[in-house]
Structure formats: C-alpha cells, structure tokens
PDB file of all heavy atoms in Angstrom:
ATOM      1  N   LEU A 155     110.389  78.189 106.738  1.00 93.00           N
ATOM      2  CA  LEU A 155     111.286  78.803 105.758  1.00 93.00           C
ATOM      3  C   LEU A 155     111.587  77.827 104.616  1.00 93.00           C
ATOM      4  O   LEU A 155     111.862  76.645 104.860  1.00 93.00           O
ATOM      5  CB  LEU A 155     112.592  79.240 106.431  1.00 93.00           C
ATOM      6  CG  LEU A 155     112.434  80.299 107.532  1.00 93.00           C
ATOM      7  CD1 LEU A 155     113.792  80.638 108.141  1.00 93.00           C
ATOM      8  CD2 LEU A 155     111.763  81.559 107.002  1.00 93.00           C
ATOM      9  N   PRO A 156     111.566  78.296 103.369  1.00 92.00           N
ATOM     10  CA  PRO A 156     111.745  77.414 102.205  1.00 92.00           C
ATOM     11  C   PRO A 156     113.220  77.136 101.919  1.00 92.00           C
ATOM     12  O   PRO A 156     113.758  77.524 100.879  1.00 92.00           O
ATOM     13  CB  PRO A 156     111.092  78.225 101.076  1.00 92.00           C
ATOM     14  CG  PRO A 156     111.369  79.641 101.459  1.00 92.00           C
ATOM     15  CD  PRO A 156     111.306  79.696 102.958  1.00 92.00           C
ATOM     16  N   LEU A 157     113.867  76.454 102.850  1.00 91.00           N
ATOM     17  CA  LEU A 157     115.312  76.216 102.719  1.00 91.00           C
ATOM     18  C   LEU A 157     115.654  75.448 101.450  1.00 91.00           C
ATOM     19  O   LEU A 157     116.743  75.615 100.889  1.00 91.00           O
ATOM     20  CB  LEU A 157     115.818  75.431 103.934  1.00 91.00           C
ATOM     21  CG  LEU A 157     115.584  76.069 105.310  1.00 91.00           C
ATOM     22  CD1 LEU A 157     116.164  75.178 106.401  1.00 91.00           C
ATOM     23  CD2 LEU A 157     116.180  77.468 105.388  1.00 91.00           C
ATOM     24  N   TYR A 158     114.738  74.595 100.987  1.00 90.00           N
ATOM     25  CA  TYR A 158     115.030  73.736  99.842  1.00 90.00           C
ATOM     26  C   TYR A 158     114.241  74.127  98.596  1.00 90.00           C
ATOM     27  O   TYR A 158     114.425  73.530  97.541  1.00 90.00           O
ATOM     28  CB  TYR A 158     114.718  72.276 100.196  1.00 90.00           C
ATOM     29  CG  TYR A 158     115.268  71.866 101.530  1.00 90.00           C
ATOM     30  CD1 TYR A 158     114.415  71.490 102.575  1.00 90.00           C
ATOM     31  CD2 TYR A 158     116.635  71.898 101.787  1.00 90.00           C
ATOM     32  CE1 TYR A 158     114.914  71.139 103.814  1.00 90.00           C
ATOM     33  CE2 TYR A 158     117.131  71.559 103.032  1.00 90.00           C
ATOM     34  CZ  TYR A 158     116.276  71.174 104.043  1.00 90.00           C
ATOM     35  OH  TYR A 158     116.777  70.844 105.267  1.00 90.00           O
ATOM     36  N   GLU A 159     113.377  75.135  98.708  1.00 89.00           N
ATOM     37  CA  GLU A 159     112.495  75.482  97.588  1.00 89.00           C
ATOM     38  C   GLU A 159     112.931  76.718  96.809  1.00 89.00           C
ATOM     39  O   GLU A 159     112.459  76.947  95.698  1.00 89.00           O
ATOM     40  CB  GLU A 159     111.061  75.704  98.094  1.00 89.00           C
ATOM     41  CG  GLU A 159     110.361  74.440  98.551  1.00 89.00           C
ATOM     42  CD  GLU A 159     110.735  74.045  99.970  1.00 89.00           C
ATOM     43  OE1 GLU A 159     111.081  74.945 100.763  1.00 89.00           O
ATOM     44  OE2 GLU A 159     110.710  72.835 100.277  1.00 89.00           O
ATOM     45  N   LEU A 160     113.795  77.539  97.386  1.00 87.00           N
ATOM     46  CA  LEU A 160     114.206  78.769  96.706  1.00 87.00           C
ATOM     47  C   LEU A 160     115.018  78.450  95.451  1.00 87.00           C
ATOM     48  O   LEU A 160     115.760  77.463  95.417  1.00 87.00           O
ATOM     49  CB  LEU A 160     115.050  79.638  97.642  1.00 87.00           C
ATOM     50  CG  LEU A 160     114.332  80.259  98.855  1.00 87.00           C
ATOM     51  CD1 LEU A 160     115.345  80.953  99.748  1.00 87.00           C
ATOM     52  CD2 LEU A 160     113.249  81.231  98.418  1.00 87.00           C
ATOM     53  N   ASN A 161     114.890  79.311  94.433  1.00 88.00           N
ATOM     54  CA  ASN A 161     115.727  79.119  93.246  1.00 88.00           C
ATOM     55  C   ASN A 161     117.180  79.408  93.608  1.00 88.00           C
ATOM     56  O   ASN A 161     117.474  79.976  94.654  1.00 88.00           O
ATOM     57  CB  ASN A 161     115.243  79.979  92.070  1.00 88.00           C
ATOM     58  CG  ASN A 161     115.380  81.471  92.344  1.00 88.00           C
ATOM     59  OD1 ASN A 161     116.443  81.951  92.736  1.00 88.00           O
ATOM     60  ND2 ASN A 161     114.305  82.220  92.132  1.00 88.00           N
ATOM     61  N   ILE A 162     118.082  79.044  92.734  1.00 85.00           N
ATOM     62  CA  ILE A 162     119.509  79.106  93.052  1.00 85.00           C
ATOM     63  C   ILE A 162     119.976  80.520  93.383  1.00 85.00           C
ATOM     64  O   ILE A 162     120.801  80.731  94.263  1.00 85.00           O
ATOM     65  CB  ILE A 162     120.366  78.503  91.899  1.00 85.00           C
ATOM     66  CG1 ILE A 162     121.828  78.328  92.347  1.00 85.00           C
ATOM     67  CG2 ILE A 162     120.263  79.338  90.639  1.00 85.00           C
ATOM     68  CD1 ILE A 162     122.025  77.325  93.461  1.00 85.00           C
ATOM     69  N   LEU A 163     119.407  81.527  92.711  1.00 85.00           N
ATOM     70  CA  LEU A 163     119.823  82.909  92.959  1.00 85.00           C
ATOM     71  C   LEU A 163     119.354  83.414  94.320  1.00 85.00           C
ATOM     72  O   LEU A 163     119.982  84.292  94.911  1.00 85.00           O
ATOM     73  CB  LEU A 163     119.294  83.824  91.851  1.00 85.00           C
ATOM     74  CG  LEU A 163     119.894  83.617  90.458  1.00 85.00           C
ATOM     75  CD1 LEU A 163     119.215  84.536  89.448  1.00 85.00           C
ATOM     76  CD2 LEU A 163     121.405  83.876  90.479  1.00 85.00           C
ATOM     77  N   ASP A 164     118.241  82.866  94.813  1.00 89.00           N
ATOM     78  CA  ASP A 164     117.685  83.312  96.094  1.00 89.00           C
ATOM     79  C   ASP A 164     118.036  82.392  97.254  1.00 89.00           C
ATOM     80  O   ASP A 164     117.573  82.605  98.374  1.00 89.00           O
ATOM     81  CB  ASP A 164     116.161  83.428  95.983  1.00 89.00           C
ATOM     82  CG  ASP A 164     115.727  84.619  95.156  1.00 89.00           C
ATOM     83  OD1 ASP A 164     116.433  85.645  95.176  1.00 89.00           O
ATOM     84  OD2 ASP A 164     114.686  84.526  94.466  1.00 89.00           O
ATOM     85  N   THR A 165     118.835  81.360  97.000  1.00 91.00           N
ATOM     86  CA  THR A 165     119.249  80.458  98.076  1.00 91.00           C
ATOM     87  C   THR A 165     120.381  81.119  98.862  1.00 91.00           C
ATOM     88  O   THR A 165     121.565  80.861  98.659  1.00 91.00           O
ATOM     89  CB  THR A 165     119.683  79.086  97.519  1.00 91.00           C
ATOM     90  OG1 THR A 165     118.591  78.525  96.773  1.00 91.00           O
ATOM     91  CG2 THR A 165     120.032  78.124  98.643  1.00 91.00           C
ATOM     92  N   SER A 166     119.994  82.026  99.738  1.00 92.00           N
ATOM     93  CA  SER A 166     120.929  82.836 100.509  1.00 92.00           C
ATOM     94  C   SER A 166     120.198  83.418 101.706  1.00 92.00           C
ATOM     95  O   SER A 166     118.956  83.379 101.766  1.00 92.00           O
ATOM     96  CB  SER A 166     121.475  83.986  99.648  1.00 92.00           C
ATOM     97  OG  SER A 166     120.420  84.869  99.290  1.00 92.00           O
ATOM     98  N   VAL A 167     120.950  83.973 102.649  1.00 95.00           N
ATOM     99  CA  VAL A 167     120.284  84.609 103.792  1.00 95.00           C
ATOM    100  C   VAL A 167     119.472  85.808 103.321  1.00 95.00           C
ATOM    101  O   VAL A 167     118.386  86.091 103.846  1.00 95.00           O
ATOM    102  CB  VAL A 167     121.293  85.011 104.892  1.00 95.00           C
ATOM    103  CG1 VAL A 167     121.736  83.808 105.692  1.00 95.00           C
ATOM    104  CG2 VAL A 167     122.481  85.750 104.319  1.00 95.00           C
ATOM    105  N   GLY A 168     119.968  86.521 102.315  1.00 95.00           N
ATOM    106  CA  GLY A 168     119.220  87.639 101.762  1.00 95.00           C
ATOM    107  C   GLY A 168     117.929  87.192 101.103  1.00 95.00           C
ATOM    108  O   GLY A 168     116.891  87.843 101.233  1.00 95.00           O
ATOM    109  N   GLY A 169     117.982  86.069 100.387  1.00 95.00           N
ATOM    110  CA  GLY A 169     116.783  85.521  99.752  1.00 95.00           C
ATOM    111  C   GLY A 169     115.742  85.117 100.780  1.00 95.00           C
ATOM    112  O   GLY A 169     114.538  85.325 100.583  1.00 95.00           O
ATOM    113  N   LEU A 170     116.189  84.533 101.903  1.00 96.00           N
ATOM    114  CA  LEU A 170     115.264  84.161 102.972  1.00 96.00           C
ATOM    115  C   LEU A 170     114.648  85.396 103.626  1.00 96.00           C
ATOM    116  O   LEU A 170     113.469  85.401 103.992  1.00 96.00           O
ATOM    117  CB  LEU A 170     115.973  83.298 104.015  1.00 96.00           C
ATOM    118  CG  LEU A 170     116.333  81.886 103.570  1.00 96.00           C
ATOM    119  CD1 LEU A 170     117.230  81.206 104.613  1.00 96.00           C
ATOM    120  CD2 LEU A 170     115.081  81.036 103.335  1.00 96.00           C
ATOM    121  N   ALA A 171     115.452  86.471 103.771  1.00 97.00           N
ATOM    122  CA  ALA A 171     114.924  87.715 104.343  1.00 97.00           C
ATOM    123  C   ALA A 171     113.845  88.310 103.441  1.00 97.00           C
ATOM    124  O   ALA A 171     112.829  88.835 103.923  1.00 97.00           O
ATOM    125  CB  ALA A 171     116.051  88.711 104.563  1.00 97.00           C
ATOM    126  N   LYS A 172     114.036  88.228 102.125  1.00 96.00           N
ATOM    127  CA  LYS A 172     113.010  88.701 101.184  1.00 96.00           C
ATOM    128  C   LYS A 172     111.734  87.870 101.321  1.00 96.00           C
ATOM    129  O   LYS A 172     110.624  88.399 101.246  1.00 96.00           O
ATOM    130  CB  LYS A 172     113.537  88.624  99.750  1.00 96.00           C
ATOM    131  CG  LYS A 172     114.626  89.636  99.428  1.00 96.00           C
ATOM    132  CD  LYS A 172     115.145  89.451  98.003  1.00 96.00           C
ATOM    133  CE  LYS A 172     116.277  90.414  97.705  1.00 96.00           C
ATOM    134  NZ  LYS A 172     116.848  90.167  96.354  1.00 96.00           N
ATOM    135  N   TYR A 173     111.910  86.562 101.513  1.00 97.00           N
ATOM    136  CA  TYR A 173     110.763  85.679 101.701  1.00 97.00           C
ATOM    137  C   TYR A 173     109.981  86.078 102.956  1.00 97.00           C
ATOM    138  O   TYR A 173     108.739  86.154 102.932  1.00 97.00           O
ATOM    139  CB  TYR A 173     111.235  84.230 101.804  1.00 97.00           C
ATOM    140  CG  TYR A 173     110.131  83.235 102.055  1.00 97.00           C
ATOM    141  CD1 TYR A 173     109.444  82.646 101.000  1.00 97.00           C
ATOM    142  CD2 TYR A 173     109.767  82.876 103.353  1.00 97.00           C
ATOM    143  CE1 TYR A 173     108.427  81.728 101.220  1.00 97.00           C
ATOM    144  CE2 TYR A 173     108.755  81.961 103.591  1.00 97.00           C
ATOM    145  CZ  TYR A 173     108.091  81.388 102.514  1.00 97.00           C
ATOM    146  OH  TYR A 173     107.077  80.488 102.741  1.00 97.00           O
ATOM    147  N   VAL A 174     110.704  86.345 104.047  1.00 97.00           N
ATOM    148  CA  VAL A 174     110.053  86.752 105.298  1.00 97.00           C
ATOM    149  C   VAL A 174     109.308  88.074 105.095  1.00 97.00           C
ATOM    150  O   VAL A 174     108.188  88.254 105.589  1.00 97.00           O
ATOM    151  CB  VAL A 174     111.094  86.865 106.439  1.00 97.00           C
ATOM    152  CG1 VAL A 174     110.497  87.527 107.673  1.00 97.00           C
ATOM    153  CG2 VAL A 174     111.645  85.483 106.793  1.00 97.00           C
ATOM    154  N   HIS A 175     109.908  88.994 104.362  1.00 97.00           N
ATOM    155  CA  HIS A 175     109.244  90.269 104.083  1.00 97.00           C
ATOM    156  C   HIS A 175     107.945  90.058 103.306  1.00 97.00           C
ATOM    157  O   HIS A 175     106.904  90.634 103.663  1.00 97.00           O
ATOM    158  CB  HIS A 175     110.184  91.183 103.293  1.00 97.00           C
ATOM    159  CG  HIS A 175     109.536  92.463 102.853  1.00 97.00           C
ATOM    160  ND1 HIS A 175     109.002  93.364 103.742  1.00 97.00           N
ATOM    161  CD2 HIS A 175     109.314  92.983 101.612  1.00 97.00           C
ATOM    162  CE1 HIS A 175     108.483  94.392 103.073  1.00 97.00           C
ATOM    163  NE2 HIS A 175     108.654  94.180 101.789  1.00 97.00           N
ATOM    164  N   ARG A 176     107.987  89.214 102.288  1.00 97.00           N
ATOM    165  CA  ARG A 176     106.777  88.946 101.498  1.00 97.00           C
ATOM    166  C   ARG A 176     105.706  88.283 102.363  1.00 97.00           C
ATOM    167  O   ARG A 176     104.512  88.568 102.232  1.00 97.00           O
ATOM    168  CB  ARG A 176     107.106  88.069 100.293  1.00 97.00           C
ATOM    169  CG  ARG A 176     107.930  88.783  99.222  1.00 97.00           C
ATOM    170  CD  ARG A 176     107.967  87.988  97.925  1.00 97.00           C
ATOM    171  NE  ARG A 176     108.625  86.708  98.069  1.00 97.00           N
ATOM    172  CZ  ARG A 176     109.925  86.508  97.884  1.00 97.00           C
ATOM    173  NH1 ARG A 176     110.722  87.518  97.544  1.00 97.00           N
ATOM    174  NH2 ARG A 176     110.445  85.295  98.028  1.00 97.00           N
ATOM    175  N   PHE A 177     106.135  87.406 103.252  1.00 98.00           N
ATOM    176  CA  PHE A 177     105.206  86.731 104.161  1.00 98.00           C
ATOM    177  C   PHE A 177     104.522  87.738 105.086  1.00 98.00           C
ATOM    178  O   PHE A 177     103.286  87.736 105.229  1.00 98.00           O
ATOM    179  CB  PHE A 177     105.961  85.675 104.975  1.00 98.00           C
ATOM    180  CG  PHE A 177     105.159  85.057 106.078  1.00 98.00           C
ATOM    181  CD1 PHE A 177     104.070  84.240 105.796  1.00 98.00           C
ATOM    182  CD2 PHE A 177     105.487  85.283 107.408  1.00 98.00           C
ATOM    183  CE1 PHE A 177     103.326  83.660 106.819  1.00 98.00           C
ATOM    184  CE2 PHE A 177     104.746  84.721 108.433  1.00 98.00           C
ATOM    185  CZ  PHE A 177     103.663  83.906 108.133  1.00 98.00           C
ATOM    186  N   ILE A 178     105.300  88.622 105.708  1.00 98.00           N
ATOM    187  CA  ILE A 178     104.747  89.620 106.630  1.00 98.00           C
ATOM    188  C   ILE A 178     103.802  90.565 105.891  1.00 98.00           C
ATOM    189  O   ILE A 178     102.735  90.926 106.405  1.00 98.00           O
ATOM    190  CB  ILE A 178     105.883  90.382 107.332  1.00 98.00           C
ATOM    191  CG1 ILE A 178     106.605  89.448 108.318  1.00 98.00           C
ATOM    192  CG2 ILE A 178     105.361  91.622 108.061  1.00 98.00           C
ATOM    193  CD1 ILE A 178     107.868  90.016 108.922  1.00 98.00           C
ATOM    194  N   GLU A 179     104.185  90.943 104.686  1.00 97.00           N
ATOM    195  CA  GLU A 179     103.334  91.829 103.883  1.00 97.00           C
ATOM    196  C   GLU A 179     102.029  91.121 103.501  1.00 97.00           C
ATOM    197  O   GLU A 179     100.947  91.700 103.592  1.00 97.00           O
ATOM    198  CB  GLU A 179     104.083  92.246 102.608  1.00 97.00           C
ATOM    199  CG  GLU A 179     105.272  93.149 102.874  1.00 97.00           C
ATOM    200  CD  GLU A 179     104.935  94.603 102.635  1.00 97.00           C
ATOM    201  OE1 GLU A 179     104.687  94.970 101.481  1.00 97.00           O
ATOM    202  OE2 GLU A 179     104.925  95.359 103.630  1.00 97.00           O
ATOM    203  N   THR A 180     102.133  89.875 103.052  1.00 97.00           N
ATOM    204  CA  THR A 180     100.955  89.121 102.623  1.00 97.00           C
ATOM    205  C   THR A 180      99.976  88.919 103.775  1.00 97.00           C
ATOM    206  O   THR A 180      98.761  89.022 103.604  1.00 97.00           O
ATOM    207  CB  THR A 180     101.366  87.750 102.044  1.00 97.00           C
ATOM    208  OG1 THR A 180     102.215  87.958 100.910  1.00 97.00           O
ATOM    209  CG2 THR A 180     100.165  86.930 101.623  1.00 97.00           C
ATOM    210  N   ARG A 181     100.520  88.660 104.953  1.00 97.00           N
ATOM    211  CA  ARG A 181      99.671  88.421 106.118  1.00 97.00           C
ATOM    212  C   ARG A 181      99.218  89.723 106.784  1.00 97.00           C
ATOM    213  O   ARG A 181      98.420  89.695 107.711  1.00 97.00           O
ATOM    214  CB  ARG A 181     100.423  87.559 107.140  1.00 97.00           C
ATOM    215  CG  ARG A 181     100.734  86.148 106.668  1.00 97.00           C
ATOM    216  CD  ARG A 181      99.487  85.331 106.454  1.00 97.00           C
ATOM    217  NE  ARG A 181      98.741  85.124 107.684  1.00 97.00           N
ATOM    218  CZ  ARG A 181      97.477  84.719 107.736  1.00 97.00           C
ATOM    219  NH1 ARG A 181      96.812  84.500 106.610  1.00 97.00           N
ATOM    220  NH2 ARG A 181      96.870  84.546 108.888  1.00 97.00           N
ATOM    221  N   ASN A 182      99.758  90.839 106.343  1.00 96.00           N
ATOM    222  CA  ASN A 182      99.350  92.152 106.849  1.00 96.00           C
ATOM    223  C   ASN A 182      99.507  92.239 108.369  1.00 96.00           C
ATOM    224  O   ASN A 182      98.603  92.691 109.084  1.00 96.00           O
ATOM    225  CB  ASN A 182      97.896  92.449 106.442  1.00 96.00           C
ATOM    226  CG  ASN A 182      97.530  93.913 106.611  1.00 96.00           C
ATOM    227  OD1 ASN A 182      98.398  94.788 106.523  1.00 96.00           O
ATOM    228  ND2 ASN A 182      96.264  94.179 106.874  1.00 96.00           N
ATOM    229  N   TYR A 183     100.672  91.813 108.858  1.00 96.00           N
ATOM    230  CA  TYR A 183     100.895  91.782 110.300  1.00 96.00           C
ATOM    231  C   TYR A 183     101.205  93.153 110.892  1.00 96.00           C
ATOM    232  O   TYR A 183     101.131  93.339 112.100  1.00 96.00           O
ATOM    233  CB  TYR A 183     102.045  90.823 110.636  1.00 96.00           C
ATOM    234  CG  TYR A 183     101.681  89.363 110.541  1.00 96.00           C
ATOM    235  CD1 TYR A 183     102.492  88.461 109.870  1.00 96.00           C
ATOM    236  CD2 TYR A 183     100.532  88.871 111.144  1.00 96.00           C
ATOM    237  CE1 TYR A 183     102.167  87.116 109.792  1.00 96.00           C
ATOM    238  CE2 TYR A 183     100.196  87.526 111.072  1.00 96.00           C
ATOM    239  CZ  TYR A 183     101.019  86.660 110.395  1.00 96.00           C
ATOM    240  OH  TYR A 183     100.696  85.327 110.326  1.00 96.00           O
ATOM    241  N   GLY A 184     101.608  94.113 110.064  1.00 90.00           N
ATOM    242  CA  GLY A 184     101.996  95.406 110.610  1.00 90.00           C
ATOM    243  C   GLY A 184     103.332  95.305 111.317  1.00 90.00           C
ATOM    244  O   GLY A 184     104.221  94.571 110.896  1.00 90.00           O
ATOM    245  N   GLN A 185     103.479  96.024 112.424  1.00 94.00           N
ATOM    246  CA  GLN A 185     104.732  95.955 113.173  1.00 94.00           C
ATOM    247  C   GLN A 185     104.818  94.640 113.934  1.00 94.00           C
ATOM    248  O   GLN A 185     103.835  94.193 114.543  1.00 94.00           O
ATOM    249  CB  GLN A 185     104.839  97.136 114.135  1.00 94.00           C
ATOM    250  CG  GLN A 185     105.204  98.448 113.448  1.00 94.00           C
ATOM    251  CD  GLN A 185     105.791  99.423 114.426  1.00 94.00           C
ATOM    252  OE1 GLN A 185     105.256  99.639 115.506  1.00 94.00           O
ATOM    253  NE2 GLN A 185     106.913 100.026 114.062  1.00 94.00           N
ATOM    254  N   VAL A 186     105.998  94.018 113.908  1.00 97.00           N
ATOM    255  CA  VAL A 186     106.156  92.686 114.481  1.00 97.00           C
ATOM    256  C   VAL A 186     107.322  92.646 115.454  1.00 97.00           C
ATOM    257  O   VAL A 186     108.209  93.506 115.436  1.00 97.00           O
ATOM    258  CB  VAL A 186     106.384  91.631 113.374  1.00 97.00           C
ATOM    259  CG1 VAL A 186     105.249  91.648 112.371  1.00 97.00           C
ATOM    260  CG2 VAL A 186     107.726  91.848 112.665  1.00 97.00           C
ATOM    261  N   HIS A 187     107.289  91.657 116.311  1.00 98.00           N
ATOM    262  CA  HIS A 187     108.430  91.276 117.136  1.00 98.00           C
ATOM    263  C   HIS A 187     109.056  90.069 116.438  1.00 98.00           C
ATOM    264  O   HIS A 187     108.389  89.043 116.256  1.00 98.00           O
ATOM    265  CB  HIS A 187     107.978  90.917 118.546  1.00 98.00           C
ATOM    266  CG  HIS A 187     107.195  92.006 119.213  1.00 98.00           C
ATOM    267  ND1 HIS A 187     107.782  93.026 119.925  1.00 98.00           N
ATOM    268  CD2 HIS A 187     105.844  92.247 119.244  1.00 98.00           C
ATOM    269  CE1 HIS A 187     106.835  93.840 120.380  1.00 98.00           C
ATOM    270  NE2 HIS A 187     105.660  93.383 119.978  1.00 98.00           N
TER     271      HIS A 187
END
C-alpha cells in the first residue's frame, strides 16, 4: 500500500480503498477474498 506516495487529497482510508480497487481491476482478479 502506498502509505507515503499518495497525494495529499488521497492520503486517507478512502484513497487507499480506491488504490486497492485500481489494483484489483488492473490485475483482472475478478471476485476476491
């Protein structure tokens, strides 16, 4: 997780959740646990 790399507006739990979503989409994992 990019705890230190996110811009100031995205340095939040919501910003990290968006990052995880982009990661899952990019990797095309489908349904995940």
Side-chain angles (χ1 to χ4, degrees):
L155 298 179
L157 302 181
Y158 313 116
E159 290 82 28
L160 292 174
N161 65 51
I162 191 65
L163 292 177
D164 287 328
T165 302
S166 64
V167 283
L170 289 171
K172 290 177 183 176
Y173 178 89
V174 170
H175 175 59
R176 290 193 296 270
F177 172 67
I178 290 171
E179 292 261 293
T180 300
R181 295 295 296 164
N182 195 28
Y183 285 132
Q185 284 201 312
V186 303
H187 304 273

